């Protein structure tokens, strides 16, 4: 018996990285899955892993910044899976430029995907949850939203917005028996780290090595447990918040960061 038997979860950005970890942990707990992502080829590979766990899975092409795409994607998910119980808003991007080089495009992209994208997908799912008087929403924020930083301000600001949006959604939807929480992941070595600065695909780029050194340095100097986090860590936290074990938790933002931030 899994904690999410007979539940269906939709995960945006579920093709790779943290999203893949979330998808697999939810499936491990018994949930059937909808992966909603731009990268349908990569999503199909993750879907194959879900099937190996004995769970049903649907891949939906979705751009979380596009109203038509979110509405159609959610309708497709509902039609194919017969209903949704859990929404995980995980799709996210980082700015291409860093520090004072960040431009308007960086600001717009972080806002449109990381923050407004959550609102857009939620708007498409909430009527279904309200009709059922049940539902769990888990928004993926970041410890970057807990504190400022000199490096990727548009990202930090969008993630602070996610924490605030989570609190508003929790207050709006609590009377309908819908729990809304956020997770603030710490440092997980995924492709998002490569996207900052627009790095090439290969592993040999010296800038990539520099970036990894910077990543390791933060772990060494700021992380109480002195180890990086994994997509599975985030998936396990999502599974908890999506389960009835967390039925009386709403409006919270849980740091899963090895003790980097303690408030
Ligand atoms: N990796 C970290 O250290 C870290 C830390 C804190 C928070 N996060 C957050 O975790 C989430 C996942 O990040 P990741 O590290 O796995 O990055 P990633 O780049 O590996 O994965 C992001 C996923 O989101 C999808 N996506 C991007 N834009 C989309 C759009 N417009 N519509 C639909 N899907 C879209 C991508 O295709 C991809 O599958 C993001 O919200 C990110 O901000 C990551």
């Amino acid at each position: 018996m899994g904690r999410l038997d007979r539940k269906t979860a939709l995960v945006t950005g579920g093709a790779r990285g943290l999203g893949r970890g979330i998808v697999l942990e939810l499936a491990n707990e018994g949930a059937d899955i909808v992966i909603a992502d731009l990268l349908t080829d990569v999503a199909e590979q993750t879907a194959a892993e879900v099937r190996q766990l004995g769970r049903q899975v649907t891949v939906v092409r979705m751009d979380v910044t596009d109203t038509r795409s979110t509405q159609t994607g959610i309708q497709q998910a509902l039609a194919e899976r017969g209903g949704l119980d859990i929404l995980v808003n995980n799709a996210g991007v980082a700015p291409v430029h860093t520090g004072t080089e960040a431009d308007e495009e960086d600001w717009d992209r972080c806002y449109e995907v990381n923050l407004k994208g959550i609102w857009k997908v939620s708007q498409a799912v909430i009527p279904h949850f309200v009709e059922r008087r049940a539902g769990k929403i888990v928004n993926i924020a970041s410890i970057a939203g807990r504190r400022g930083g000199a490096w990727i301000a548009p990202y930090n600001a969008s993630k602070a917005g996610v924490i605030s949006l989570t609190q508003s959604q929790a207050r709006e939807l609590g009377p309908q028996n819908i729990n809304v929480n956020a997770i603030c992941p710490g440092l997980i070595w995924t492709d998002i780290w490569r996207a900052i600065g627009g790095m090439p695909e290969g592993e040999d780029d010296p800038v990539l090595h520099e970036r990894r050194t910077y990543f390791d340095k933060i772990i060494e100097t700021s992380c109480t447990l002195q180890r990086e986090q994994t997509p599975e860590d985030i998936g396990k936290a999502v599974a908890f918040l999506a389960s009835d074990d967390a039925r009386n938790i709403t409006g919270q933002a849980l740091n899963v960061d090895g003790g980097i931030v303690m408030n």
Side-chain angles (χ1 to χ4, degrees):
M1 277 285 282
R3 280 185 297 182
L4 302 176
D5 284 349
R6 292 180 300 282
K7 304 289 184 195
T8 301
L10 182 140
V11 183
T12 69
R16 70 180 191 196
L18 268 63
R20 174 177 165 274
I22 294 165
V23 161
L24 295 180
E25 289 303 326
L26 295 179
N28 266 325
E29 288 283 358
D32 292 329
I33 303 290
V34 180
I35 303 175
D37 205 302
L38 284 169
L39 303 174
T40 46
D41 287 356
V42 186
E44 286 296 351
Q45 292 167 26
T46 302
E49 295 183 81
V50 173
R51 284 187 198 102
Q52 276 171 4
L53 293 170
R55 306 313 322 158
Q56 301 202 37
V57 59
T58 300
V59 171
V60 168
R61 191 191 181 282
M62 184 186 287
D63 178 352
V64 301
T65 68
D66 183 280
T67 304
R68 183 197 285 261
S69 176
T70 54
Q71 292 287 341
T72 318
I74 296 304
Q75 287 316 315
Q76 186 189 337
L78 290 173
E80 286 190 29
R81 296 262 65 93
L84 287 174
D85 305 283
I86 299 158
L87 167 64
V88 185
N89 285 306
N90 161 77
V93 293
V96 173
H97 307 96
T98 55
T100 54
E101 302 290 311
D103 60 18
E104 201 165 338
E105 217 172 291
D106 290 316
W107 278 97
D108 288 347
R109 229 166 83 83
C110 285
Y111 172 69
E112 288 289 335
V113 179
N114 299 354
L115 184 53
K116 206 164 145 198
I118 291 184
W119 171 75
K120 220 163 245 197
V121 180
S122 300
Q123 286 303 101
V125 173
I126 286 166
H128 176 66
F129 283 177
V130 168
E131 198 184 315
R132 302 176 134 203
R133 275 194 71 80
K136 311 272 188 192
I137 300 177
V138 183
N139 297 327
I140 303 302
S142 170
I143 55 166
R146 293 275 196 203
R147 53 185 197 176
W151 195 41
I152 43 171
Y155 181 82
N156 301 343
S158 70
K159 293 299 186 176
V162 173
I163 295 169
S164 171
L165 175 61
T166 299
Q167 293 165 349
S168 299
Q169 287 181 321
R171 289 201 192 277
E172 285 165 7
L173 300 171
Q176 315 287 339
N177 192 34
I178 298 165
N179 302 55
V180 189
N181 291 289
I183 287 177
C184 297
L187 284 91
I188 303 101
W189 188 249
T190 65
D191 282 340
I192 209 168
W193 282 83
R194 191 190 288 277
I196 306 166
M199 267 186 268
E201 292 288 313
E203 295 302 314
D204 299 334
D205 193 80
V207 187
L208 188 60
H209 288 291
E210 247 175 63
R211 182 66 49 79
R212 179 69 212 200
T213 307
Y214 173 72
F215 179 97
D216 290 337
K217 185 100 188 137
I218 309 175
I219 305 281
E220 193 190 312
T221 56
S222 309
C223 181
T224 306
L225 291 173
Q226 299 204 312
R227 56 176 175 255
E228 65 192 90
Q229 292 76 61
T230 66
E232 292 71 29
D233 293 332
I234 309 309
K236 285 181 193 299
V238 171
F240 165 64
L241 288 174
S243 77
D244 276 340
D245 290 346
R247 60 187 288 273
N248 273 323
I249 301 176
T250 200
Q252 304 304 307
L254 174 65
N255 300 333
V256 182
D257 67 345
I260 298 174
V261 174
M262 294 201 181
N263 56 29

